[in-house]
Amino acid sequence: MQGKGIAGKTAYAAMLIALSMLLSYVEALLPISVGLPGVKPGLANLVVLTGLYYMKPGEVLLISVTRILLSAFLFGGLSALIYSLAGGLLSFGVMLLLKQIKGFSVTGVSIAGAVSHNLGQLAVAVAVVENAKVLYYMPGLMIAGVAAGSVTGMLAQTCRRYLTSAAGRKDGE
Amino acid sequence: MNQAGEKLFTRKDAGLLAAVLLVAGAAALFLGLPGRAQGELVRITVDGRLYGEYELARDRNIRVEEGTHYNEVVIRDKKVYVTEADCPDRYCVKHHEITKSMETIVCLPHRMVVEIVNVGATKWSAETDGIWESGSHGKPGDAGKPGGFENIDGYTE
């Protein structure tokens, strides 16, 4: 992704935002319901996760935040925005941190991201409804994060294999 | 590319996984999720304030109205669920039925929490539990047992 001008970078970022929004949409079509509110595979995180390995953190953050804002305006409604932002920002921070530490695979980074995403949303939920009973969801949401993070992590691993070989051919990197 | 990044699962990943599961398990224990009892009372709070308390054993519909919003809460056969709401995400409607104490249904946009509570599990004896399990409507009050259930009747009508 190096050696591109501002126009190229903008186009690239826009494409990835569109991709992540499409993944959210596809995910919404899947009839997955475990009875816990808001539990989903988190396929949009695939873009953020993969991006962390190829782009500057600032660029990935921009993509993540823009996707959240656009999704909230288009589908979710503004009441969902604060939850998405809390989850998205916390998970971005945690994933970035873990990626810097040697020894974690993409799967590990993904699991940490998914779990922290759910915990971030839960924290906002507790604050908003002013009822600590919402914490009842914590164990379930953490387990769900592990499951979703594992799936997304393995998908990201597969994506990286192709992306790395493609990048190797094009950029000679 | 570091070497670890090419592996599907590393030892540190396993450590992370174990830590997460441990925290989740500890949280579950701390919250008292295992071995929680059948609840007795349905408590609805809106924005942190008590909206009403209702007997779990008595079937009824509760329309929780707050401003222009509403959630239709149904108590039937000792199960609690939300049938209708005008919130945007409708997670509360999709939520599974709750039956046990500590279980909650949350409507985040309306800041409404429906929870099942076990009224003084320590105070109430085994014989009172027997009465609740019979599930006959209105019996607890008739039995003249001590406790705050007169208040509940005030809420129900």
Side-chain angles (χ1 to χ4, degrees):
Chain A
M1 314 316 139
Q2 268 79 39
K4 283 203 179 89
I6 187 76
K9 274 187 177 162
T10 308
Y12 200 80
M15 197 183 72
L16 288 175
I17 291 164
L19 178 63
S20 60
M21 289 181 72
L22 187 70
L23 287 172
S24 299
Y25 180 70
V26 168
E27 181 176 276
L29 295 178
L30 299 173
I32 298 174
S33 179
V34 292
L36 272 172
V39 169
K40 52 186 184 177
L43 291 179
N45 195 38
L46 197 55
V47 173
V48 175
L49 185 62
T50 311
L52 278 176
Y53 289 85
Y54 295 94
M55 303 162 80
K56 292 197 189 90
E59 293 169 355
V60 184
L61 183 62
L62 183 74
I63 288 170
S64 178
V65 171
T66 312
R67 178 194 75 82
I68 290 167
L69 288 175
L70 284 175
S71 294
F73 283 122
L74 285 172
F75 317 113
L78 290 180
S79 66
L81 178 62
I82 180 169
Y83 302 101
S84 309
L85 265 183
L89 291 178
L90 185 65
S91 103
F92 176 82
V94 168
M95 289 197 295
L96 187 63
L97 189 74
L98 244 70
K99 203 215 136 210
Q100 310 296 338
I101 303 171
K102 292 271 180 282
F104 287 106
S105 74
V106 182
T107 317
V109 174
S110 174
I111 290 173
V115 172
S116 55
H117 178 273
N118 288 356
L119 290 181
Q121 290 203 325
L122 189 66
V124 173
V126 170
V128 167
V129 300
E130 292 176 41
N131 189 330
K133 290 291 161 54
V134 181
L135 282 177
Y136 161 81
Y137 291 111
M138 188 177 146
L141 284 176
M142 288 181 79
I143 305 290
V146 169
S150 306
V151 172
T152 313
M154 285 171 200
L155 285 172
Q157 187 79 27
T158 312
C159 290
R160 279 190 62 200
R161 209 168 294 144
Y162 291 105
L163 282 170
T164 307
S165 62
R169 279 201 301 276
K170 274 182 188 164
D171 306 340
E173 202 174 34
Chain B
M1 295 303 136
N2 59 29
Q3 282 303 307
E6 303 302 329
K7 284 192 195 145
L8 196 58
F9 206 72
T10 67
R11 269 173 59 193
K12 276 196 180 174
D13 290 342
L16 174 83
L17 193 66
V20 169
L21 294 179
L22 206 68
V23 171
L29 281 177
F30 181 74
L31 293 167
L33 296 192
R36 58 188 182 226
Q38 179 80 42
E40 290 152 3
L41 201 60
V42 180
R43 179 180 292 154
I44 300 179
T45 52
V46 179
D47 221 350
R49 286 174 289 107
L50 182 69
Y51 184 90
E53 289 181 336
Y54 314 88
E55 280 176 51
L56 183 61
R58 185 178 293 183
D59 290 358
R60 61 169 295 159
N61 295 12
I62 306 138
R63 192 179 170 90
V64 181
E65 280 179 292
E66 191 78 3
T68 54
H69 305 305
Y70 75 93
N71 297 72
E72 196 80 37
V73 181
V74 174
I75 304 173
R76 184 142 298 135
D77 302 330
K78 291 187 156 195
K79 295 182 182 114
V80 187
Y81 46 95
V82 179
T83 49
E84 225 185 296
D86 61 347
C87 52
D89 55 24
R90 293 167 61 80
Y91 278 135
C92 53
V93 180
K94 291 175 213 153
H95 198 287
H96 63 80
E97 305 165 332
I98 57 173
T99 56
K100 294 195 169 78
S101 69
M102 300 200 55
E103 285 191 302
T104 55
I105 297 176
V106 182
C107 178
L108 290 175
H110 294 174
R111 299 174 182 192
M112 182 200 71
V113 179
V114 181
E115 62 183 284
I116 298 184
V117 285
N118 201 352
V119 190
T122 48
K123 201 171 79 180
W124 286 68
S125 62
E127 53 173 324
T128 26
D129 287 339
I131 288 165
W132 286 114
E133 272 156 23
S134 74
S136 44
H137 298 170
K139 266 278 157 23
D142 304 342
K145 293 290 170 190
F149 283 98
E150 282 89 349
N151 305 342
I152 305 157
D153 286 332
Y155 282 117
T156 49
E157 303 315 325

